[in-house]
Amino acid sequence: MMSQITLTILETSDVHGNIFPVNYGTNEIQHLGLGKAAAIIKKYRSKNDHVLTIDNGDIIQGTPLTYHYVKYRGAEPNPMIEVLNHLQYDAAVIGNHEFNYGLPIMQGAAEQSSFPWLSANILDKSTGRPYFGTPYILKEFGSGLKAAVLGVTTHYIPNWENPEHIPNLDFADAFETAKHWVTHIREKENPDVLIVSYHGGFENDPQSGKPTESHTSENQGYRMCTEIDGIDVLLTGHQHRQLAGTINNVLILQPGFNGEYVGKADITFEKSEGRWHIVEKKSELLPAGSEEEDEEVLQLVNKYETSTQEWLDQPIGFIEGDMTIKDPLQARMVEHPLVEFINNVQMDALGVQISNTALFNNSARGLPSTVTMRDIVSNYVYPNTLTAIEISGKDMKDALERSASYFLVGANGEVIVNPAFSVPKPQHYNYDMWEGIEYTINISNEIGKRIEGLQYNGKPVEMNEKYEVVMNNYRAGGGGEYPMFRNRPITKSSQIDMAEMLANYFLKHKTVKAAVNHNWKVVK
């Protein structure tokens, strides 16, 4: 008779559509993806009968593979779900990016899944019950061990998502929901181990407990560990961090993103008085990059990959001049032709005179002289749509000040990125550059007082005047700590993804000139 057993929990999170070990922008090999993670999952499954495999959200969106599937092969099975089914996942939790392609795609993914999708706090408005079914699962093993897995999702989704993508959904507070269901599960189900899988992260440093971000409630992992009794393991994600450890005797994991790591938790039990008791808990991150890809997984979805690659290499237009990026920091300090081009497309699309956009990450390389879809999607990586809102001059000034806080002056007088935009997660996408107005960012001034010479049509921007501005739907909802945009009147919108809109602009105009008008600058 067994007196000791170990339950292994394997977690993936924020895989963002990555199966193949490839960077779609360059087609270079990358040490990531579910193909590699699969090798780890299969290895531990073969070693132990007591394994739980859980995806913690943001799986069905994020690469040209998933974009191409939605746009051109949506009637077929979802390739991400085909892989999770093949790997016999026990459950998946809904992430915020699950809604980016619209609710029908998410519902289709759930219907195709051979495992349940959990999110106790995403509710059907009409019934008040979890929209996607069960809030938690119980798994009993042959040894009699009973494990409970509760799923919750950051309730901040309405601040980012296109409202048309989340109709009839209520997003209840993730912390309060977790607290309620943990109590319920402990009292009604009496499991031997209770796991909370939370698509959200930590608002405080896991070791010191000090706040690491504004407590907006987007991330509530630290509170869950310190204020909810009864959680044995907290699986997290959303922030793309690499975390393994313990907070208040709660074992925590966060396995990075893009399938670079698999989170592994080992819970050891001993039997006494007729039931299993936890005697040891350990967590670690397993690098998927050191594994060979699982050929079965790659073959399973190879047809999707092949058609995606063919689509990506189609030439769609030309650049006259230089629209490539050599230095991403310089491209944010001195107006760059790529940023001006995106802003011009946004203004053209909705017929608006003022626009803002960001350079989303430091791997954006700009556009070469012959432009393909690969170039478009490697520079504009999110499936954003456009929204025009009416804001006041004060809203505009406040938003510009938020962006201006991106820069700091280093010890040697050099310009550096404010750590608030890079730690614990890179957030370069929260620094916006504007077109249609004139302004100067003076980073010698204190944060909050850096915007100088703010003008529209040659006249100072009036704080009480109204201005129409086009931006992506994430920003228009206040995402990225831009509360001054939240709940402002929407004047126009488009449901065409920006990548498609940029491609359409090339198809219409054929050749685009790389140019800037120097309507803004950064000085110190």
Side-chain angles (χ1 to χ4, degrees), residues 329 333 407-410 413-417 443 522 524:
L329 181 60
M333 290 182 59
F407 301 105
L408 293 179
V409 179
E414 77 281 20
V415 178
I416 61 172
V417 176
I443 59 174
V522 177
K524 63 176 176 136

Side-chain angles (χ1 to χ4, degrees), residues 3 121 193 367 443:
S3 61
N121 66 312
V193 59
L367 298 175
I443 59 174

Side-chain angles (χ1 to χ4, degrees), residues 162 349-350 384-388 473 492-497 501:
N162 183 333
L350 293 196
N384 292 331
T385 55
L386 292 181
T387 304
N473 61 289
K492 297 167 187 164
S493 65
S494 167
Q495 296 314 306
I496 300 173
D497 287 353
M501 200 167 271

Side-chain angles (χ1 to χ4, degrees), residues 124-146:
D124 187 323
K125 274 185 181 172
S126 59
T127 66
R129 296 196 187 99
Y131 188 89
F132 291 92
T134 182
Y136 65 92
I137 60 165
L138 292 170
K139 183 162 182 177
E140 292 199 44
F141 296 87
S143 60
L145 181 77
K146 184 159 74 167

